[in-house]
Amino acid sequence: MGMMPLTQLKKYKADKCILSVDGVCYDSGLTTYHAQEADVNISMMERSRKTIIVADYSKLENESFFNICDLDEVDYWVTNDCANPELLERIRTRGIEIITC
């Protein structure tokens, strides 16, 4: 992938950034298995007003290799209604609006 996506992203601003991640963890925040994906996600978040995460319940409390950000930097999380309600409520205390479907 190289530096090209990061260079291109610096040219844009967005109202919303919608990301899919590999892990959503109360303590370690958002994570992914790929370093370059983490870099692109961070750049996208920096260039956007709001960050929306789309990740199913299996990503909850899953921690992968590369950190993207703390949960405090996320505005919304869209997930399915199979997620553990107690864990979701704990995540909500970090200021994230969680939408289940």
Side-chain angles (χ1 to χ4, degrees):
M1 182 166 21
M3 294 299 295
M4 190 169 153
L6 296 177
T7 302
Q8 290 299 315
L9 282 172
K10 289 180 181 181
K11 297 178 182 180
Y12 300 100
K13 284 292 280 176
D15 288 329
K16 296 172 187 79
C17 166
I18 302 172
L19 302 175
S20 175
V21 297
D22 296 310
V24 179
C25 187
Y26 182 84
D27 293 322
S28 58
L30 302 182
T31 58
T32 184
Y33 289 109
H34 308 284
Q36 291 175 328
E37 181 178 337
D39 291 340
V40 169
N41 288 350
I42 291 165
S43 182
M44 290 173 62
M45 291 174 67
E46 289 171 349
R47 306 294 299 156
S48 302
R49 289 188 179 98
K50 299 282 184 185
T51 298
I52 303 166
I53 302 305
V54 178
D56 70 34
Y57 77 98
S58 69
K59 307 302 192 258
L60 183 57
E61 291 305 305
N62 183 38
E63 187 175 4
S64 46
F65 300 116
F66 298 98
N67 183 268
I68 299 169
C69 70
D70 290 332
L71 289 180
D72 303 344
E73 297 180 46
V74 176
D75 299 294
Y76 301 95
W77 178 22
V78 179
T79 189
N80 53 341
D81 59 7
C82 297
N84 180 320
E86 293 169 2
L87 291 175
L88 289 180
E89 192 55 41
R90 187 171 181 219
I91 298 287
R92 278 188 180 99
T93 66
R94 300 293 297 270
I96 299 172
E97 184 174 333
I98 299 174
I99 302 161
T100 57
C101 49

